[in-house]
Amino acid sequence: MKIALGSDHGGFLLKKEVARHLMVKGIEFTDFGTFDGEQSVDYTDYVWPVAFGVSKGDFDLGILVCGTGIGVAIAANKVKGIRAAICTNGYMARMCREHNDANILTLGGRVLGNGLALEIVDIFLSTSFLGGRHAARLEKIRWMELHGPDATVTNGCAADSSNAPEACARDIKAAGEATGEAVGKSAAADAGANKSK
Ligand code: RB5
């Protein structure tokens, strides 16, 4: 497994801990900086090599750290194919892999203690994507990425389903077959029981 690592000054100290942790565990990684916790830098400059490295397939996963984990998550998620998840506990770390197939973990160096942060890292790196219904949702995200604001969407899918991904085509077909009442009922049922879906 190859990991891409990066931070700004706000995440520098925690990134150092993460790098040490990966080294002890024998996990291969590249640290793209910053290498100075004193100098104020723009987090975007460190997100860039990590996010594009992961999206190109040069790395399996990425870990980005800034003061809060927010700026690096926003920036990384602008890159096609990136699903960056900010995590503040182990449950989020597990779910972002199992349900969202997150490929970049973002952490807040000014928010998390080292012990918790490293536990989050361990869970993130050792948990696999569950696929199934979650894969269909990721397919819809890819569809949105591909078509941007030009995609007219209904139920998360392009109205023109001629070359829609399988999940969209299936939903469009199901919506066409269902009566308005049935669609309303299933939406209400979903809203009431969506905790484990
Ligand atoms: C830097 O002061 C801080 O804004 C940055 O590390 C990060 O928290 C932004 O989201």
Side-chain angles (χ1 to χ4, degrees):
M1 182 188 288
K2 271 171 80 180
I3 307 298
L5 189 59
S7 80
D8 70 355
H9 55 291
F12 170 73
L13 289 177
L14 178 54
K15 174 172 68 67
K16 233 166 93 175
E17 287 305 312
V18 172
R20 201 197 318 257
H21 188 66
L22 296 178
M23 211 178 293
V24 167
K25 295 199 133 204
I27 297 172
E28 194 184 341
F29 67 95
T30 299
D31 186 346
F32 288 99
T34 185
F35 299 106
D36 175 356
E38 297 301 317
Q39 171 143 8
S40 180
V41 293
D42 299 333
Y43 52 81
T44 45
D45 302 347
Y46 303 91
V47 167
W48 189 88
V50 171
F52 283 100
V54 171
S55 78
K56 278 192 297 172
D58 295 344
F59 297 91
D60 300 296
L61 295 169
I63 301 176
L64 285 165
V65 195
C66 65
T68 57
I70 296 171
V72 287
I74 292 172
N77 277 318
K78 299 292 177 199
V79 176
K80 237 179 213 169
I82 291 303
R83 295 175 298 280
I86 178 169
C87 294
T88 56
N89 58 52
Y91 177 74
M92 292 171 80
R94 182 163 67 81
M95 296 309 282
C96 82
R97 291 288 305 130
E98 285 189 350
H99 284 198
N100 312 113
D101 198 16
N103 48 17
I104 292 186
L105 166 69
T106 79
L107 300 168
R110 296 172 181 159
V111 179
L112 300 170
N114 290 347
L116 176 57
L118 297 181
E119 186 186 329
I120 290 170
V121 166
D122 285 343
I123 295 170
F124 179 77
L125 297 182
S126 62
T127 306
S128 301
F129 181 48
L130 289 179
R133 65 185 186 276
H134 306 296
R137 292 160 189 170
L138 297 191
E139 213 183 318
K140 290 183 180 182
I141 293 176
R142 270 192 291 275
W143 184 246
M144 288 162 64
E145 258 181 359
L146 193 65
H147 294 277
D150 296 334
T152 313
V153 294
T154 317
N155 191 21
C157 297
D160 168 15
S161 64
S162 50
N163 58 9
E166 206 184 301
C168 289
R170 189 195 60 216
D171 282 358
I172 289 166
K173 188 163 171 282
E177 285 165 0
T179 64
E181 194 192 4
V183 169
K185 268 188 196 152
S186 83
D190 274 1
N194 64 2
K195 283 210 172 107
S196 61
K197 289 185 175 180

